[in-house]
Amino acid sequence: AATAGSKSAAMGWWSRQRVQLCMYGGWGLGVGTWAGCYVLWLAQGCVPLLPFVSDFGGGLTGPVFAVGMSSAALLLVPSWCDHYLATDPRLGLG
C-alpha cells in the first residue's frame, strides 16, 4: 500500500515545477556551459568564430564542458520521458 509520503513524492515528481526545472534548467545549463566554455576558449588565445565542439574538450574548458554538459543532459532526460508520455497515442495520456 502506498503511504502518504510516497503519494506526496509522486505528486512532486509529476508537478509542473519539476517539469519546468528539468526542461528550462537543462537548456539553460547547456547554453550557459557552451557560452562559458567559448569565453574560456578565447581566453586561451584561440581564434574567434566557429570552434568545433571537440575544441571545448581540452585545456581549461575540458572539465567545465564535461561537467556542464553532463549536468544538462541529466536534467533533460526526464523531459524526454515526459515528452514521450505526453505524445504517445498508445498511452492515452496526451
Side-chain angles (χ1 to χ4, degrees):
T3 64
S6 65
K7 284 184 182 180
S8 174
M11 291 305 294
W13 178 255
W14 294 110
S15 72
R16 182 179 184 96
Q17 290 81 19
R18 195 272 311 159
V19 172
Q20 289 176 335
L21 172 73
C22 288
M23 186 173 63
Y24 295 122
W27 278 104
L29 190 56
V31 169
T33 297
W34 198 282
C37 285
Y38 183 70
V39 169
L40 285 174
W41 185 71
L42 292 175
Q44 294 178 73
C46 297
V47 178
L49 245 37
L50 300 170
F52 290 104
V53 174
S54 61
D55 292 340
F56 294 148
L60 296 174
T61 59
V64 176
F65 189 72
V67 170
M69 287 302 184
S70 296
S71 300
L74 285 174
L75 279 174
L76 286 170
V77 166
S79 296
W80 300 329
C81 296
D82 293 335
H83 181 266
Y84 172 76
L85 291 172
T87 59
D88 189 350
R90 295 173 293 168
L91 298 175
L93 301 173

